[in-house]
Amino acid sequence: MTAINAVTDLSKDGDIAIVTLNSPPVNALGADVRDGLAQGFKQAIDDPSVKAIVLICEGKTFIAGADISEFGKPPKGASLFEVENIIEGSPKPVIAAIHGTALGGGLEVALCAHYRVAVPSAKCGLPEVNIGLLPGAGGTQRLPRIVGVEAALDMVTSGKHVGAKQCLESGLVDELAPEGKLKEAAVAFAKKAVAENKPLKKVRDNNAKLEAARGKPEIFANFRKANAKKFRGFMAPEYNIQCIEAAVNAPSFEEGLKTERKLFMELVTGTQSAAQRYVFFAERQVWKIPGIADDTPTIPVKKVGIIGAGTMGGGISMNFLNVGIPVTIVETKQEALDRGVATIRKNYENTAKKGRMTMEDVEKRMALLTPTLKLEDLADVDMVIEAVFERMDIKKDVFGKLDKIVKKGAVLASNTSYLNIDEIASATTRPQDVIGMHFFSPANVMRLLENVRGEKTSDAVVATATQTAKKIGKIAALAGVCPGFIGNRMLSPRQREAQKLVMEGAMPWDVDRALYNFGFPMGPFQMSDLAGLDIGWVKENSKGETIRDRLCELDRRGQKTGAGYYDYDANRNNSPSPVTAEIIEEFRKKSGVNSRSISDEEIVERCIYPMINEGAKILEEGKALRASDIDIVWINGYGWPVYRGGPMFYGDTVGLDKVLAKMKEWQSQMGDAFKPSALLEKLVAEKKKFSDLPPQPLNTKPAK
Ligand code: 3H9
């Protein structure tokens, strides 16, 4: 065996050369790997005793793509195109041996080999779209030549990983190798290729599938139409489609490549891809908690208790049932318990009806659920998650009881979205075991889990909550105790400003439109109508003091009553309501405000900049570990558009000096609700960004 460089070896098995990559963790195509491939292949090609070449990887996977951290930096070493040309132009058959995942640039390299052999567990995909890109090393031109135009459109715009068996059917893979015997199978394939004088199959020359799609622009038109909602706001899906269109319509492979190159360069230098690449790393950073090592002992969670069988409790339970963890669900009244269990069953049956689960799966999950009216039945669970009414006295009562019932060492979690975890913990004799685990509604769907560490919460309990999140498929950000934690604390200024803008002259539908166009799935007033305007509203106490009071008094309590800020038709389509407009006009008159016209740009700034400022305060107080964790919360819990990278990344993008200047301007006009955070001032003074801040330990001291 010859070492080509630090990450590449060249060895021989008879007359077959084997180029082996070993660049953990995922054999990404960094400069070393590209250099190693270029040199390794050149040597093998130049060696007259070599008849064919196998490319294989060590570690858990084949090449998982370009090295994402290299984008935006000056190019180094051999280019990916050079490597691809050497492989594709090799006069000796090249066989790519795939295990784990062949993704992005990895699959593009494999597509330049003449043949591909894979183990059944391997997966192939072009997931560049997920980081705001397109396959920029020939992938958009080669893939449709093998799998056809429709399948290629689906793969490049979804980024999905396709299993090896399906790849064999579509021709992406030529042969399946027995699991664990990839090298032997690939070498055997290479020997056979030599013995049978198999042709040097170049994907680029295979035009049959493209020709079938020529003169049929409706393929693309229909695809765009069918996916318009999903792709809204994103540039990358459209650019990927244009590349496949170029593969079909360009006069040659090279011309198609030119289009791919041009569109790739536009995306890779743009802010959307920068945001999505940032989120890629943020999603991996979020699991790393300063001060809590990966090997911190955790509490095995084999049985869970959920208190409350309402929407939240039911949704939370489903997460655990889905991964085979038994759940005991507790309610105070039989009727509520029955209703909760029936809803869980209905949700699962609906999934089964859509073909995403079998009825057997439904029954398996339901069999793991034990409904009860007795809190005492939680004595032997490893983790309790309380999801009762959001009132401190009720929560404390529950935790006081749990303290006496639940076995020592179990995690006692509250799903509160706002309340003080330390105060809840004070109702127990074991505050070290108490933590917040804030799920987002619908809890069986939403990916975010905001874990809230109290002053006395132990490392083991924090590590257990984090590990549990992973186990049930969530993404968990850690927050410190402060009103509303990270997410709801930042939601509050946005809601406040939305209401104020309406008093100043914007209509609810103007605010909603501006934020929808910014990229949110819906605006704040649409959200209120969906959630119900009467959350926290008490009829008997209502004195018509706010627009919301008046709407509720008219029984306009949101979508559920057919009217709220908006009017709704039978299909729940909304339209601006003259009734709401009249009430707003009355309130404006009463307050003596002269309505003014407010641009969408101002609406966005007024709603978003105060959120960024609040995020800065959260960081300044040490209630979040890093700015990117805040972004994770907003992307996964509140529908912040991923192509804008989250509120903190967005602040960095527009410029913190601009955000600060606006906060100061509004502070002088409208008071201290806009007072800039000291951290924001400091970063601007030092010409730094949120992304320059290193991770910090969580401040667990109670807020002053
Ligand atoms: C591309 O190929 C462009 C080309 O078309 C054109 C070029 C001209 N680069 O996810 P994990 C790191 S774009 C750099 O936890 P898993 C990751 O940050 C690329 N680093 O493991 C993490 O680091 P750390 C197209 C990468 O087992 C560690 O590896 N390809 C890359 O759950 C482990 O990652 C993709 O988009 C990378 N490409 O999942 C694939 N990939 O330990 C992206 C990973 O310091 N990757 N890292 O936190 C993945 O989808 C998953 O990582 C994979 C493994 C499925 C491979």
Side-chain angles (χ1 to χ4, degrees):
M1 181 172 311
T2 323
I4 299 290
N5 66 8
V7 296
T8 322
D9 284 322
L10 182 61
S11 59
K12 275 179 73 182
D13 181 335
D15 52 9
I16 308 300
I18 303 168
V19 178
T20 307
L21 287 178
N22 188 5
S23 180
V26 296
N27 291 307
L29 288 157
D32 267 5
V33 170
R34 295 194 305 268
D35 280 343
L37 283 173
Q39 286 169 36
F41 270 90
K42 271 187 204 154
Q43 276 193 29
I45 290 168
D46 288 346
D47 181 343
S49 70
V50 167
K51 297 279 183 322
I53 310 162
V54 167
L55 166 62
I56 195 163
C57 293
E58 294 279 344
K60 65 178 181 180
T61 181
F62 188 74
I63 306 167
D67 184 340
I68 301 170
S69 62
E70 269 188 2
F71 292 131
K73 297 185 185 150
K76 252 178 36 188
S79 81
L80 193 48
F81 285 101
E82 253 173 272
V83 172
E84 290 189 342
N85 288 339
I86 295 171
I87 294 177
E88 197 172 48
S90 160
K92 304 167 182 180
V94 177
I95 292 92
I98 302 172
H99 77 295
T101 46
L103 298 178
L107 180 58
E108 291 177 294
V109 166
L111 287 174
C112 292
H114 306 114
Y115 297 96
R116 287 157 295 280
V117 174
V119 287
S121 59
K123 293 195 166 114
C124 296
L126 293 175
E128 285 87 344
V129 71
N130 296 328
I131 47 171
L133 292 176
L134 54 86
T140 64
Q141 305 304 300
R142 289 192 178 87
L143 184 71
R145 284 176 157 82
I146 297 191
V147 303
V149 167
E150 273 105 341
L153 280 172
D154 179 44
M155 271 180 83
V156 296
T157 58
S158 69
K160 67 172 67 145
H161 301 182
V162 180
K165 283 182 196 145
Q166 204 183 324
C167 291
L168 182 69
E169 283 161 25
S170 69
L172 255 187
V173 161
D174 298 285
E175 189 175 281
L176 289 187
E179 214 67 63
K181 297 260 183 264
L182 181 60
K183 192 165 166 181
E184 293 85 331
V187 169
F189 190 101
K191 287 186 172 159
K192 201 163 74 176
V194 174
E196 294 175 4
N197 207 9
K198 274 183 188 272
L200 300 174
K201 273 197 343 196
K202 291 186 192 172
V203 178
R204 62 155 69 203
D205 296 335
N206 183 359
N207 289 330
K209 293 212 165 138
L210 298 183
E211 274 153 20
R214 243 166 236 160
K216 292 185 186 157
E218 65 277 9
I219 297 178
F220 297 98
N222 293 342
F223 187 77
R224 285 188 172 98
K225 203 163 146 212
N227 292 287
K229 203 166 154 212
K230 200 163 88 194
F231 298 161
R232 181 177 77 92
F234 288 92
M235 287 169 74
E238 171 57 28
Y239 278 41
N240 271 282
I241 297 172
Q242 287 180 19
C243 286
I244 307 281
E245 256 174 335
V248 173
N249 298 324
S252 65
F253 177 81
E254 279 71 23
E255 285 302 314
L257 262 193
K258 274 189 202 159
T259 302
E260 183 192 89
R261 194 74 211 140
K262 178 174 154 282
L263 296 180
F264 178 84
M265 288 315 291
E266 252 184 68
L267 288 178
V268 79
T269 50
T271 46
Q272 285 208 352
S273 176
Q276 290 179 256
R277 274 155 23 218
Y278 161 87
V279 173
F280 176 86
F281 289 112
E283 283 182 346
R284 285 155 180 84
Q285 283 292 308
V286 75
W287 300 105
K288 295 170 189 161
I289 302 173
I292 299 190
D294 284 349
D295 57 358
T296 304
T298 53
I299 299 148
V301 178
K302 299 209 178 94
K303 201 170 172 193
V304 171
I306 309 280
I307 310 176
T311 315
M312 225 41 220
I316 296 172
S317 303
M318 289 173 74
N319 289 302
F320 291 94
L321 302 175
N322 290 344
V323 295
I325 298 178
V327 171
T328 302
I329 189 163
V330 190
E331 255 300 346
T332 47
K333 297 216 168 64
Q334 188 65 47
E335 199 197 342
L337 188 62
D338 292 345
R339 205 177 331 124
V341 172
T343 305
I344 295 177
R345 173 174 280 284
K346 203 175 102 214
N347 285 342
Y348 280 138
E349 285 177 352
N350 282 341
T351 310
K353 267 188 211 141
K354 288 180 196 146
R356 294 206 300 260
M357 183 182 276
T358 63
M359 275 314 288
E360 202 187 331
D361 295 330
V362 175
E363 295 310 331
K364 228 192 253 167
R365 285 163 171 76
M366 292 310 291
L368 291 170
L369 184 67
T370 310
T372 177
L373 295 174
K374 288 187 292 193
L375 214 50
E376 288 72 20
D377 288 347
L378 299 184
D380 67 340
V381 300
D382 306 300
M383 172 181 273
V384 180
I385 303 175
E386 161 278 309
V388 302
F389 196 66
E390 193 75 343
R391 238 173 59 191
M392 184 55 89
D393 54 342
I394 302 179
K395 304 250 181 205
K396 281 172 91 168
D397 180 57
V398 168
F399 273 77
K401 287 179 179 148
L402 287 176
D403 191 32
K404 297 194 179 71
I405 293 169
V406 183
K407 71 177 179 195
K408 288 248 146 49
V411 175
L412 305 182
S414 171
N415 176 52
T416 179
S417 57
Y418 200 84
L419 298 172
N420 188 324
I421 299 296
D422 293 328
E423 194 177 338
I424 295 174
S426 73
T428 74
T429 56
R430 37 174 142 165
Q432 73 280 0
D433 297 336
V434 177
I435 189 165
M437 288 176 78
H438 177 205
F439 289 78
F440 286 68
S441 188
N444 51 319
V445 178
M446 295 294 285
R447 207 174 151 221
L448 181 67
L449 182 58
E450 203 179 23
N451 285 335
V452 188
R453 179 172 202 165
E455 188 182 6
K456 299 193 174 133
T457 312
S458 71
D459 284 358
V461 166
V462 174
T464 303
T466 309
Q467 198 186 61
T468 302
K470 252 191 195 161
K471 173 117 206 221
I472 60 175
K474 302 281 174 202
I475 187 158
L478 189 66
V481 174
C482 57
F485 317 127
I486 296 173
N488 283 341
R489 178 167 167 184
M490 287 168 70
L491 181 64
S492 186
R494 192 187 85 170
Q495 300 301 86
R496 182 192 71 214
E497 292 313 309
Q499 298 287 347
K500 275 166 52 187
L501 284 163
V502 165
M503 287 303 290
E504 290 171 34
M507 294 306 276
W509 26 98
D510 296 328
V511 177
D512 285 346
R513 182 194 55 245
L515 290 176
Y516 177 80
N517 288 342
F518 180 80
F520 282 104
M522 64 181 86
F525 296 99
Q526 288 161 332
M527 201 169 97
S528 296
D529 272 4
L530 182 67
L533 265 64
D534 53 354
I535 296 177
W537 178 78
V538 184
K539 193 172 180 181
E540 293 69 35
N541 303 340
S542 183
K543 297 198 189 88
E545 281 167 344
T546 61
I547 297 167
R548 177 187 82 153
D549 280 358
R550 289 289 303 283
L551 290 170
C552 286
E553 285 165 14
L554 292 171
D555 207 31
R556 300 179 64 95
R557 291 182 286 123
Q559 282 196 20
K560 60 186 172 188
T561 57
Y565 285 102
Y566 292 84
D567 290 334
Y568 291 89
D569 68 14
N571 296 322
R572 295 206 165 187
N573 294 315
N574 66 24
S575 56
S577 162
V579 179
T580 307
E582 206 175 296
I583 295 173
I584 290 171
E585 200 43 50
E586 248 176 63
F587 271 82
R588 285 182 190 155
K589 269 203 191 117
K590 233 189 319 181
S591 68
V593 175
N594 281 334
S595 299
R596 61 189 177 95
S597 125
I598 304 178
S599 69
D600 283 11
E601 191 191 351
E602 182 179 346
I603 291 172
V604 168
E605 288 178 353
R606 273 279 296 281
C607 289
I608 304 285
Y609 290 5
M611 284 176 61
I612 298 170
N613 191 48
E614 198 63 40
K617 287 185 188 166
I618 291 172
L619 282 174
E620 179 187 314
E621 293 166 20
K623 298 298 180 188
L625 302 174
R626 45 178 92 78
S628 62
D629 285 14
I630 297 179
D631 290 331
I632 289 295
V633 166
W634 268 82
I635 288 169
N636 294 286
Y638 299 83
W640 180 283
V642 62
Y643 56 81
R644 293 194 197 270
M648 310 316 275
F649 183 87
Y650 183 68
D652 280 349
T653 313
V654 293
L656 296 187
D657 51 345
K658 191 171 166 205
V659 177
L660 178 65
K662 278 285 175 197
M663 293 306 293
K664 284 184 170 164
E665 180 189 323
W666 294 327
Q667 186 187 18
S668 68
Q669 292 165 359
M670 294 177 276
D672 275 352
F674 296 95
K675 188 169 187 288
S677 115
L679 177 65
L680 184 61
E681 303 236 31
K682 183 168 173 276
L683 288 173
V684 172
E686 293 172 357
K687 294 194 168 32
K688 284 192 177 151
K689 295 178 165 191
F690 289 124
S691 55
D692 294 324
L693 295 169
Q696 60 182 358
L698 200 71
N699 171 12
T700 55
K701 294 276 160 266
K704 277 178 230 132

